[in-house]
Structure formats: C-alpha cells, structure tokens
Amino acid sequence: MKQICPKEGWAEQDPMDILNSVIVCIEKAVENLKAFDKDPGCIKAIGITNQRETIVAWDRKTGKPLYNAILWLDVRTSSTVAKLIAKTPQKSKDSLRKYCGLPITTYFSAVKLRWLLDTSEEVRKAVKDGRCLFGTVDSWLLWNFTGGINGGKHITDVTNASRTMLMNIHNLQWDDYLCQFFDIPKEVLPEIRSSSEIYGNMEVSVLKGLPISGILGDQQAALVGQLCFKPGQAKNTYGTGCFMLMNTGTEVVQSEQGLLTTVGYQFGKGKPAVYALEGAIAITGASIKWLRDNLGIIKTASEVETLAQKVDSTHGCYFVPAFSGLFCPYWQDDARGMDSLLGKFCFKLGIFFVSHRLINFRIKNIIDGFRKNLRFPCSLRSFQRVTGITAGNEEFQDSMKQCVPDGHTFKGYPIQFSHRNARRAFATCLRSPVCEEIVNCRGDHVRLAVRVKIYPYPESACATWIMFACKYKSVL
C-alpha cells in the first residue's frame, strides 16, 4: 500500500487502493487454498480487522471517496485539537474522558472528521446534500463488500466505534453530547453493532455469497487472538507503533495515568461488552525503519541489536522518536523527534543502543500505568511480528518455529527483573502465577522453551528479559 504524505505530519492512503488490495488478497488466498488441494468451500464466513482510527468519507450515490483516507498517525489536526480543547469547560484534553474514555488528541477519528468538514468543500456539500457517509476502514470495506451503491450496509462494530470519540463508552451508542461537541451529524455515521454477528453477505470477489460475521479493530483483534479473555490478561504487539491492551472485564476503568479506556470486544447481540485499558505508543518499530531509510546507517532492522550490544550504556545519547507526537501517557501532539548526541562515539553505536532501549522504557511507562490503575494482577502476552524489532527476538521465534508442527503455535511471556541472576529470575518465573498457564499447560506435543537475556544499564542497574514459550495444538 502506497502511503501519501502531501505535507510534513500528513499521512494518507487512497481508499480505492485499500479496497482493491483487500479484494486481491482474498482472491490470492483462495488461489493458494486450491494450490494446496484445499476446497475454498470450507470457508464458512469472513471477518474484518482494520486500522482503527483511520477515516474514510465517501459518496453514498457514486461510491467514490470524497477525500483520501486520513491515517491514524496523521498529525495535521493539531490546530483543530487546540480549538476543541478551548471549547471545553475545563480547557483540558481530558474533559471528554467520562463520556468516551479518550483524550482530545490528533489520534482519534472525530478530530480528523472535524478537520475534513472544516477544510473540504466537497465533504461539506456532500453532508449538506445527504450524500456523505463516514466510517473507519471496516465500514468502508463492509459497505463495498455488501453491495456499495446497491444496498451496501453502513455498519461498524463497538471496538472501532470506541476509537472515534463519538460513542458513549457506557451505552455503546453514538452520544448526543459528543456529536454536538464535535458538530458532526449522526446521519453520516454507521450503525454500531457487536463484534460478532452476521452483518450481511459478500457481493463481490470469489467469496460472493459468504456471510461477513465479525469485525474487530486490529489491536482488539490481537487481544482476542492472544486469548486474553480474563481480566488482567494483556497483549503487547510491536509494529509501526506499540499497543498494549489489558482486559478489564465488563467494568469501565477510567485511567488517571494517561491510558485509554476502550472496548475490547462484544461477542454477539445483547451480550455484555468487555472493556480494556490501552497504552498506545505511536513510534517503535518505525524508529528502526527511520534509522534504515532516512539516516541510512543500517541496511536491515535486524542489525540494531547486534550493533547496540557493542556499547554498554547510552554514553550521553538520547533519542526521542516523537514523529507523530507522544502518545500514552503524555499525549503531547506538538512533541517532535530529536536526538541529543554527546561526542562522536555516540553517533552510530550510541543511537542504536538508545533506539533499542527506548522501546523497553516506553513499554515500562505503560505497564506502570496498568499497575496503578488495576486492582488485579497483570499477565502479559507478548507477540512480535516476524519482521521484528530486534534480531534477538527473531532468532527466538525462528528457533521455536523450527520445532512447531503445522497447526501449532507458541506464546511468550517477557518479564523484567532488577537483578542479574538468571537462575533466580527463572525460579521466580516458575513460581509466578503470570507463567501458570504456560508452565501447567496440557495438550498434544507440549514443550517449553526459555530465553534469558540481561540488559545492563548505567549505575549498575539492569533488567533481565525472559521469554517462556510452549507449543500446543490449535483449538481451531
């Protein structure tokens, strides 16, 4: 997918490219099934997951986008945010949290839509004429999949709606006060449904006729995919950014630590919603990509850990990758990236060291916030994409995958300690309830694997990173 950046801080994509790429993906997947002698008829339903805050506005009569999709990390709306905060009685970015669980920042969808209405004559006219439809990417895809201009369903699910700042986090409906505050007419918004029900049938592609029966925002989909179904269970995913979500059960937990209150999932009409606290970090893996593509001081992302190990401290080097402002827990839209390099020695090896460590420190911010917010213990399930941020984790994944047969997978628990004794840390893990599911798991071909790594820090402090993993037979 091509990313369009008309100005600094702007990030867009062509909605038609998004739609077409998904259709191509579907068709290619079916081709691959046939190549493996699998009957595509075994596919019984389709689910959609998507970047949550990215918005699309389109014309219900022509089916054409009225503007490029504005992506979640776009920061063009800084001035809009300032105006909105000035409207609040408390003049605070947290004034709307009690309604929607979110601060007023450039991140969320309503702010982007407000910007569109303020700046695009085409969007304003379409709204006035009753032609404009608005939605996150799931709504755009679903509308097109279910017929488009010929009766397409304009629907979203509770997880995506909870990222707009327009849904009441308590009753899961578009909120009159919030829509009035942002001056957004409800008529342009999709119907809110649960995350698991039949929304309509496919009217396009080789899967025409199949029901579309699930929608989850991407990070909530990872929460479900990592089986975090109990309060206190959390997942952390690494990619462009880093997003940690913790299941808080059916309780709406409002954070005073800069975390986000969001919907985790709702499995079916009339079923209770399960909520989550979220720590969002805009730039993690993207900072490594920046070192490669912009500075040109590495050729592959996997080089970073190897090079970082050649130094034993930051040596006075600081790196703040605030390319899209700072997200949790600071929520500073105007923050910008910087590096402070003291001495020639720092320039290359030092920046590798701190770019590697900054991810750990930012995640620690989030975990500390979770612990202060919750009355129950946190157990973290960590999943890192195969492309990885560090070579060490890629090696661990590769070694595990070599002994994982088809239909199996593995889970890992990274845990930090403040001492260098790996044996002691390992023994503590074995006794910890955090690792109970892994250590006591039963099933076919159960094996455990452990990886221990010690990271030294200045002033004799350190953290011991341990990853437990097991392989187990798929329940699907």
Side-chain angles (χ1 to χ4, degrees):
M1 286 291 302
K2 179 183 178 182
Q3 186 164 305
I4 304 165
C5 302
K7 299 180 182 180
E8 181 182 355
W10 292 33
E12 303 175 356
Q13 286 178 332
D14 184 338
M16 296 307 298
D17 285 350
I18 296 174
L19 175 62
N20 292 334
S21 70
V22 175
I23 292 174
V24 168
C25 182
I26 290 171
E27 293 175 347
K28 191 64 178 178
V30 171
E31 285 180 21
N32 289 341
L33 277 177
K34 293 176 179 177
F36 286 105
D37 294 324
K38 302 292 185 181
D39 181 10
C42 67
I43 301 173
K44 301 302 181 186
I46 298 167
I48 297 173
T49 186
N50 58 287
Q51 292 181 353
R52 300 167 298 172
E53 298 80 13
T54 297
I55 68 160
V56 182
W58 69 97
D59 190 317
R60 71 163 76 233
K61 293 186 177 180
T62 66
K64 300 298 183 182
L66 296 167
Y67 199 90
N68 279 338
I70 301 178
L71 304 189
W72 62 274
L73 44 60
D74 185 287
V75 293
R76 74 184 68 188
T77 55
S78 295
S79 60
T80 304
V81 166
K83 292 175 184 177
L84 291 169
I85 291 174
K87 280 178 59 176
T88 66
Q90 300 84 9
K91 304 295 187 286
S92 168
K93 63 178 179 291
D94 294 318
S95 296
L96 304 181
R97 276 186 178 269
K98 62 183 178 181
Y99 302 103
C100 61
L102 308 172
I104 305 172
T105 77
T106 59
Y107 184 26
F108 302 108
S109 306
V111 180
K112 303 178 195 300
L113 181 55
R114 183 64 260 157
W115 183 91
L116 269 182
L117 290 168
D118 289 339
T119 59
S120 172
E121 178 62 34
E122 186 175 4
V123 171
R124 284 198 300 271
K125 189 172 189 310
V127 170
K128 183 178 179 180
D129 295 343
R131 295 181 287 108
C132 181
L133 295 179
F134 158 78
T136 43
V137 173
D138 58 304
S139 297
W140 165 245
L141 293 176
L142 183 70
W143 186 81
N144 280 282
F145 287 167
T146 55
I149 60 175
N150 298 311
K153 308 291 185 181
H154 191 209
I155 292 170
T156 190
D157 90 301
V158 289
T159 66
N160 283 289
S162 73
R163 312 300 292 189
T164 62
M165 295 199 77
L166 298 173
M167 187 189 82
N168 187 298
I169 198 73
H170 303 282
N171 64 25
L172 309 181
Q173 298 297 320
W174 300 125
D175 187 87
D176 290 335
Y177 173 77
L178 292 173
C179 289
Q180 183 180 7
F181 177 84
F182 286 100
D183 194 15
I184 294 173
K186 282 187 178 182
E187 292 74 23
V188 306
L189 302 176
E191 178 186 355
I192 300 174
R193 298 272 196 93
S194 76
S195 307
S196 180
E197 60 179 272
I198 295 176
Y199 313 105
N201 294 327
M202 285 287 284
E203 298 294 336
V204 297
S205 85
V206 293
L207 297 182
K208 185 175 181 178
L210 283 182
I212 303 170
S213 61
I215 300 175
L216 282 167
D218 55 0
Q219 301 307 324
Q220 282 87 342
L223 187 76
V224 171
Q226 291 292 300
L227 306 181
C228 296
F229 295 133
K230 297 178 182 178
Q233 290 183 331
K235 70 86 195 173
N236 193 25
T237 48
Y238 303 80
T240 300
C242 176
F243 301 87
M244 187 181 296
L245 271 71
M246 177 184 291
N247 185 320
T248 62
T250 55
E251 178 184 3
V252 176
V253 177
Q254 294 286 4
S255 173
E256 297 180 358
Q257 312 301 324
L259 303 175
L260 307 174
T261 302
T262 194
V263 178
Y265 54 84
Q266 183 189 25
F267 288 156
K269 296 179 181 178
K271 300 293 183 181
V274 172
Y275 293 92
L277 275 178
E278 175 174 338
I281 304 169
I283 303 294
T284 51
S287 66
I288 308 301
K289 185 175 183 291
W290 180 78
L291 292 177
R292 184 192 66 194
D293 297 345
N294 292 67
L295 290 190
I297 56 179
I298 54 172
K299 292 182 179 179
T300 63
S302 61
E303 295 176 48
V304 172
E305 182 168 346
T306 302
L307 293 167
Q309 289 174 345
K310 294 182 179 181
V311 291
D312 57 1
S313 77
T314 66
H315 291 277
C317 176
Y318 299 89
F319 180 36
V320 182
F323 304 147
S324 297
L326 284 172
F327 282 19
C328 291
Y330 309 105
W331 295 112
Q332 292 182 232
D333 297 332
D334 58 349
R336 289 296 177 265
M338 66 165 287
D339 60 82
S340 174
L341 306 175
L342 304 181
K344 293 181 180 179
F345 178 77
C346 296
F347 180 71
K348 193 167 183 180
L349 297 183
I351 201 168
F352 290 140
F353 188 92
V354 294
S355 63
H356 191 215
R357 298 303 181 267
L358 73 89
I359 297 168
N360 290 341
F361 286 130
R362 293 289 285 115
I363 292 169
K364 183 180 183 300
N365 287 154
I366 305 304
I367 294 176
D368 289 345
F370 280 158
R371 287 172 175 161
K372 291 176 183 177
N373 263 111
L374 298 179
R375 298 187 298 273
F376 41 76
C378 161
S379 64
L380 178 65
R381 300 183 177 186
S382 182
F383 170 74
Q384 189 158 343
R385 296 180 185 177
V386 177
T387 53
I389 293 175
T390 65
N393 197 64
E394 289 176 356
E395 292 165 4
F396 179 77
Q397 288 201 15
D398 289 342
S399 63
M400 283 300 301
K401 287 178 180 179
Q402 288 175 8
C403 64
V404 177
D406 291 340
H408 291 62
T409 185
F410 71 90
K411 296 180 184 176
Y413 286 91
I415 305 170
Q416 291 198 23
F417 294 87
S418 57
H419 55 75
R420 295 178 183 269
N421 190 318
R423 287 180 178 271
R424 179 179 158 203
F426 179 52
T428 303
C429 284
L430 289 176
R431 295 192 300 269
S432 170
V434 175
C435 301
E436 185 177 356
E437 281 189 64
I438 284 291
V439 175
N440 295 328
C441 97
R442 298 179 180 180
D444 297 335
H445 311 296
V446 173
R447 295 180 186 175
L448 291 174
V450 177
R451 184 166 191 262
V452 180
K453 190 152 193 177
I454 294 177
Y455 294 110
Y457 290 91
E459 300 177 358
S460 300
C462 76
T464 303
W465 184 270
I466 296 183
M467 181 170 279
F468 283 91
C470 76
K471 61 178 184 176
Y472 61 96
K473 195 165 186 179
S474 172
V475 297
L476 299 178

